[in-house]
């Protein structure tokens, strides 16, 4: 099925996270979410910090506060909140940035890339949980993640999925994620170095597909590799061409249903490997 023949629509009310509805009602159109902040901004914030050796940082309390804020901001999916309590974000960032790890902000991870904002990661996972297969089984099944970065979201996904296959196109980040995840308790994660635009046909079909990088549209390979009853959540160019939006695509026996969500700002989805 081509992109043009896919039905397009808004999120059904039941799928609209409360945080989005609130922000829209209170302040008009929400600010674009910025999961990947400009590096210059992140570097400026990093300079303001006293390097954190880990001493004096009550990271469990900071983590609990982060999850409480997510809950107050409308993330209600308990498995997602529990995953965010289980995975310690400060292990995935440079130790000099540890003090900021539980703020709702993206942080640099090298090569011009950043670890995504916790609220954006939580929101995308919550949407995956509302997919037909995930609702039926109570977990995300077999997940394909495009854009491993430092591996934080892969670790979260592994808490609520049967298996995670995560692809990164930048070899140093692929290696970084491998080192970071080796320190985590045993997880069903397969890390791949390659061009995620092609998906990963050998392990298809996937119950859930999530991308941390956005292109003009969702690559057709991802649609082909989505299971019937599966859900895909990814950033893509907005219909008016002026920014990025999150798109949610469900595959049914009849075809694909596509819904468009809020404005976002993710790093570009690039083809090839480096
Ligand atoms: N999931 C990460 C976010 C990483 S940022 C987290 O937990 O924070 C997005 C990542 O997507 C970058 O590392 C970038 O290199 C990667 N990326 C962009 N295009 C890609 C492609 N075609 N295949 C695989 N990775 C890609």
């Amino acid at each position: 099925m081509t992109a043009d023949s896919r039905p397009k629509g808004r999120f059904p009310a039941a799928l609209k996270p409360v945080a989005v509805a609130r922000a829209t009602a209170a302040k008009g159109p929400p600010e674009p979410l910025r999961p990947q902040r400009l590096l210059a901004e992140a570097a400026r914030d990093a300079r303001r910090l006293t390097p954190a050796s880990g001493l004096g940082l009550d990271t469990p309390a900071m983590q609990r506060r982060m999850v409480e804020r997510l809950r107050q901001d409308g993330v209600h999916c308990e498995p997602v909140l529990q995953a965010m309590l289980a995975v310690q974000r400060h292990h995935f960032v440079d130790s000099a940035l540890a003090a900021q790890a539980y703020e709702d902000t993206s942080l640099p991870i090298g090569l011009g890339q950043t670890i995504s904002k916790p609220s954006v990661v939580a929101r995308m996972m919550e949407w995956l949980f509302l997919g037909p297969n995930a609702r039926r089984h109570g977990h995300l099944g077999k997940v394909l993640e495009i854009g491993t970065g430092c591996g934080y979201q892969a670790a979260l996904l592994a808490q609520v999925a049967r298996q995670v296959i995560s692809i990164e196109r930048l070899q140093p980040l692929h290696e970084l994620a491998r080192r970071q995840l080796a320190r985590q308790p045993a997880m069903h994660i397969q890390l791949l170095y390659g061009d995620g635009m092609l998906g990963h046909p050998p392990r298809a079909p996937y119950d859930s597909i999530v991308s941390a990088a956005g292109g003009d549209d969702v690559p057709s390979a991802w649609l082909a590799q989505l299971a019937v009853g599966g859900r895909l959540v990814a950033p893509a160019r907005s219909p008016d061409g002026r920014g990025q939006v999150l798109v949610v695509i469900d595959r049914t026996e009849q075809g694909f249903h596509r819904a468009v969500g809020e404005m976002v700002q993710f790093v570009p989805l690039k083809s090839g490997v480096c």
Side-chain angles (χ1 to χ4, degrees):
M1 175 167 290
T2 66
D4 287 337
S5 61
R6 275 181 265 124
K8 296 183 172 65
R10 306 291 304 172
F11 283 108
L15 300 189
K16 208 171 210 173
V18 174
V20 180
R22 261 196 218 141
T24 310
K27 299 180 225 146
E31 284 282 297
L33 297 171
R34 301 192 61 187
Q36 271 73 41
R37 220 155 31 127
L38 294 176
L39 262 201
E41 261 178 55
R44 188 197 58 210
D45 288 353
R47 279 197 300 275
R48 283 208 303 259
L49 284 172
T50 309
S53 60
L55 292 174
L57 282 183
D58 185 356
T59 49
M62 291 159 76
Q63 190 175 16
R64 283 196 299 276
R65 275 198 294 276
M66 174 188 84
V67 172
E68 215 31 63
R69 277 196 306 271
L70 291 173
R71 205 187 286 277
Q72 282 163 15
D73 287 346
V75 177
H76 296 308
C77 181
E78 210 45 51
V80 172
L81 293 167
Q82 291 308 317
M84 304 215 51
L85 277 176
V87 178
Q88 298 185 308
R89 193 169 181 254
H90 70 276
H91 288 314
F92 291 85
V93 298
D94 191 277
S95 59
L97 300 174
Q100 280 190 303
Y102 297 102
E103 289 175 19
D104 194 24
T105 183
S106 51
L107 295 167
I109 54 173
L111 300 176
Q113 309 300 321
T114 55
I115 184 171
S116 301
K117 274 171 80 158
S119 59
V120 175
V121 172
R123 193 101 38 98
M124 290 176 91
M125 287 176 60
E126 190 167 54
W127 277 328
L128 287 178
F129 253 100
L130 293 168
N133 282 357
R135 269 202 265 194
R136 189 171 317 121
H137 301 300
H139 59 74
L140 300 185
K142 196 197 307 177
V143 182
L144 176 68
E145 182 195 35
I146 294 93
T148 315
C150 60
Y152 175 62
Q153 186 166 19
L156 291 171
L157 289 165
Q159 299 287 324
V160 292
R162 205 159 38 80
Q163 293 168 58
V164 178
I165 292 95
S166 182
I167 312 177
E168 174 56 56
R169 67 180 287 276
L170 299 177
Q171 191 160 24
L173 289 183
H174 165 72
E175 300 294 345
L176 173 72
R178 197 173 279 295
R179 287 195 300 277
Q180 308 279 36
L181 291 169
R183 290 196 222 125
Q184 299 290 316
M187 287 180 167
H188 302 291
I189 304 177
Q190 183 182 8
L191 293 180
L192 301 169
Y193 167 54
D195 182 357
M197 282 181 84
L198 308 173
H200 186 58
R203 303 291 303 276
Y206 301 100
D207 301 295
S208 309
I209 298 181
V210 62
S211 175
D216 286 343
D217 202 356
V218 171
S220 55
W222 300 355
L223 297 178
Q225 292 169 36
L226 188 63
V228 171
R231 172 167 282 197
L232 181 158
V233 180
R237 186 187 290 272
S238 63
D240 66 9
R242 279 196 263 154
Q244 269 182 351
V245 286
L246 278 183
V247 297
V248 175
I249 298 177
D250 287 339
R251 185 171 197 166
T252 66
E253 296 282 1
Q254 289 72 40
F256 295 92
H257 176 79
R258 178 182 178 119
V260 175
E262 70 227 62
M263 298 287 292
V264 287
Q265 195 173 349
F266 279 78
V267 295
L269 180 70
K270 294 188 175 170
S271 58
V273 293
C274 284

